[in-house]
Amino acid sequence: MHDRLPARRQKTSEAPGDEAAISRKTPTKSRRQPRTGRAGDDAIIVELGSRVKQLRTQAALTLEEFAAQSGVSRAMLSKVERGEKSPTLAIIVRIAKGLNVSMSTLMGAEPDPAQVAVIRRANRLAFKDPETGFERHNLSPSHLDNDLEFLLHRIPPGESSGELPPYKVATEKYLVVHEGQLTVQTGDANYVLDTGDSFYFDVREPYRFINAGRTPCAYYLVIRRRRA
């Protein structure tokens, strides 16, 4: 039996496109300011912004249209494209959704049709939320004919992914907790998972990954996008 607890959904009064409406909500900690200033981080932010603008241009979207499709404000998107703002996980997921690409593609993953692929730890595509420290590591190659992604997520104590939106295509997620305790919030229920527990859900509504404990949490995640 799953652990099923009453939902702890938090509502906001802001419009969906407003930056405040997709800001992080965590169980135990207050909002921290983004960690910026390092040359390496600045280069990554600029590269990401350039890629977002390139993909938007290829999709023939104006900033206004992009904002409407992603649910991210035009002002925020403009700052991201100019490399002036490091987006949080919640924002970058919405950006990927608005461009109709996977987050891995947005982060620079290249299609890899090879039958065998080795991804060294030092060469993983990784994203770290500048506010929460939430880490997303891509463990799988991007195959042209494969709708699967294999990921490693790490969440510091008392932090969360923030509310994440459902996908445009039917998507399933499978995960196993490697370390610590994880709460998956989806719909009107919270599921509390301990080390070694596994979990599956069909992503049909907003969801959230939460580490409400006092120790780090890490879990492996497989994403499957079902083809029409």
Side-chain angles (χ1 to χ4, degrees):
M1 297 290 292
H2 294 300
D3 292 321
R4 189 176 181 90
L5 305 177
R8 298 192 298 270
R9 306 194 72 171
Q10 302 183 38
K11 298 182 179 179
T12 70
S13 58
E14 293 85 3
D18 194 293
E19 178 189 351
I22 54 177
S23 63
R24 177 176 59 88
K25 305 177 185 68
T26 59
T28 59
K29 292 190 176 182
S30 60
R31 177 184 293 273
R32 294 197 299 265
Q33 295 299 315
R35 297 184 291 273
T36 59
R38 291 185 297 178
D41 289 345
D42 291 343
I44 292 173
I45 294 168
V46 170
E47 182 180 352
L48 173 63
S50 177
R51 192 176 302 115
V52 170
K53 185 174 183 178
Q54 180 184 21
L55 290 169
R56 176 177 66 81
T57 301
Q58 290 174 353
L61 292 172
T62 65
L63 272 174
E64 288 75 13
E65 292 169 336
F66 189 16
Q69 290 192 188
S70 64
V72 180
S73 69
R74 184 188 186 283
M76 170 60 73
L77 293 173
S78 181
K79 290 179 181 179
V80 170
E81 288 191 356
R82 294 197 303 268
E84 298 175 358
K85 181 72 173 180
S86 179
T88 64
L89 177 68
I91 291 177
I92 203 169
V93 166
R94 283 168 169 78
I95 288 175
K97 178 184 177 183
L99 292 169
N100 198 27
V101 299
S102 69
M103 185 172 167
S104 294
T105 297
L106 188 61
M107 297 304 298
E110 297 290 340
D112 182 1
Q115 293 184 345
V116 177
V118 176
I119 303 174
R120 303 296 180 188
R121 180 171 181 173
N123 297 329
R124 290 177 187 167
L125 278 175
F127 170 81
K128 187 172 184 178
D129 190 304
E131 294 185 0
T132 67
F134 184 108
E135 296 180 25
R136 179 189 192 273
H137 298 260
N138 189 2
L139 306 180
S140 58
S142 296
H143 284 84
L144 289 171
D145 59 350
N146 196 328
D147 293 325
L148 294 177
E149 280 189 284
F150 181 35
L151 308 168
L152 168 64
H153 286 179
R154 292 196 179 104
I155 312 180
E159 300 290 357
S160 84
S161 63
E163 185 177 276
L164 304 176
Y167 297 81
K168 290 184 177 180
V169 298
T171 301
E172 300 171 325
K173 295 200 173 189
Y174 305 75
L175 66 85
V176 59
V177 181
H178 174 66
E179 176 186 9
Q181 186 181 82
L182 174 70
T183 299
V184 181
Q185 185 181 89
T186 176
D188 295 325
N190 290 347
Y191 300 89
V192 180
L193 309 172
D194 294 316
T195 301
D197 290 348
S198 57
F199 185 74
Y200 159 85
F201 67 110
D202 195 347
V203 185
R204 299 187 179 185
E205 49 198 336
Y207 63 100
R208 188 189 308 265
F209 298 119
I210 303 167
N211 178 5
R214 298 181 179 179
T215 60
C217 172
Y219 56 97
Y220 292 100
L221 178 69
V222 173
I223 303 175
R224 175 176 177 257
R225 295 175 180 85
R226 298 196 297 272
R227 297 183 180 183

